[in-house]
Amino acid sequence: MCGRYTLTVTWEELLAYYKLERDIGLPPLHEPRYNIAPGQMVPAIIHDGSKLRLGPLRWGLVPSWAKDDKMSWRTINARAETLTDKPAFRIPFQRKRCIIPADGFYEWKRVTNNDKQPMRIVPRDGGLLHLAGLYDTWQDEQGKRISTCTIVTTTPNRVMEEVHDRMPVILSEQQLPLWLERNETDVQQLQSLLAPCPNEWLTMYPVDSMVGNVSNDSPACIEPTETPPMLF
């Protein structure tokens, strides 16, 4: 699964990176974050039917038909292999796909039966990771609309299999238009994007166990420990 990630750039930098226009009157909705966790608001890119937009979604998908939002803790990730089978993901996969920008994510590598070492996985080129996501909008009993999202996961590449049996789907810039196109409904073509990214895209390094506590959200979370980075 993918349960923690980082995005250490500003809202303005995200807009510039993806060449998006800022919504008039909308204040910046993101500051650098070092330990993003499920249940929190996260920046995401969607297609609103006319253009691409950057906006906040709550991490943990609640489908529009849900009676309440309690299931969101079980839907922080969506397995690529079963998107068309699971009711919560079937419709979003057809027409509500998004990109969740990140510049790293965390996984815990087992080192002994009782100990795990947190690792930060980052793009080797120092840029951003474009995580494939799905989103939906749910309305509570008071009529409040809440837009939520999930990160799509797939089988691991050679880098990730060292620490986990799943990894987030990471798209190339060339794949973004297809994934975000609302009118694209070819399931086979969309599924073809949901493969492990090339090994050479990623590297990882160990970080302090403080990242295990979601209340810790500072640059210290991403500082490497003395162990050298794991290169592949």
Side-chain angles (χ1 to χ4, degrees), residues 111-137:
V111 291
T112 69
N113 288 337
N114 299 317
D115 295 320
K116 291 184 178 180
Q117 170 64 54
M119 308 292 294
R120 184 174 182 235
I121 298 93
V122 294
R124 196 183 290 261
D125 65 4
L128 290 181
L129 301 171
H130 318 295
L131 308 185
L134 309 175
Y135 73 98
D136 208 347
T137 300

Side-chain angles (χ1 to χ4, degrees), residues 14-118:
L14 283 174
L15 291 172
Y17 187 94
Y18 288 102
K19 299 180 175 63
L20 301 176
E21 296 180 5
R22 180 173 180 172
D23 289 346
I24 298 177
L26 187 67
L29 298 174
H30 174 78
E31 294 297 332
R33 299 286 308 282
Y34 303 90
N35 197 7
I36 299 172
Q40 298 176 351
M41 301 302 292
V42 302
I45 299 169
I46 69 167
H47 198 295
D48 66 4
S50 60
K51 64 179 181 179
L52 295 180
R53 295 180 58 189
L54 179 66
L57 299 174
R58 194 178 76 184
W59 187 8
L61 189 138
V62 181
S64 58
W65 45 261
K67 293 182 179 180
D68 56 49
D69 64 349
K70 294 179 180 178
M71 69 182 299
S72 64
W73 298 103
R74 303 193 305 272
T75 53
I76 65 170
N77 291 158
R79 293 176 69 93
E81 300 91 331
T82 58
L83 292 181
T84 58
D85 301 327
K86 302 294 184 181
F89 305 135
R90 187 182 302 126
I91 293 178
F93 181 46
Q94 292 174 357
R95 60 173 184 260
K96 293 185 177 180
R97 300 177 297 273
C98 65
I99 294 298
I100 300 170
D103 58 11
F105 60 96
Y106 297 111
E107 274 299 351
W108 278 255
K109 181 180 181 180
R110 185 174 296 280
V111 291
T112 69
N113 288 337
N114 299 317
D115 295 320
K116 291 184 178 180
Q117 170 64 54

Side-chain angles (χ1 to χ4, degrees), residues 1-2 105-109 119-122 154-168 170 196-197 199 202-204 232:
M1 64 181 294
C2 178
F105 60 96
Y106 297 111
E107 274 299 351
W108 278 255
K109 181 180 181 180
M119 308 292 294
R120 184 174 182 235
I121 298 93
V122 294
T154 186
T155 53
N157 63 15
R158 189 163 55 86
V159 176
M160 285 302 301
E161 68 184 7
E162 294 289 324
V163 293
H164 206 279
D165 61 359
R166 303 292 295 178
M167 69 177 292
I170 302 171
C197 71
N199 299 318
L202 302 175
T203 186
M204 69 174 73
F232 296 83

Side-chain angles (χ1 to χ4, degrees), residues 106 117-120 205-211 220-225:
Y106 297 111
Q117 170 64 54
M119 308 292 294
R120 184 174 182 235
Y205 63 90
V207 294
D208 194 272
S209 60
M210 67 183 296
V211 302
C221 290
I222 65 172
E223 288 296 320
T225 61

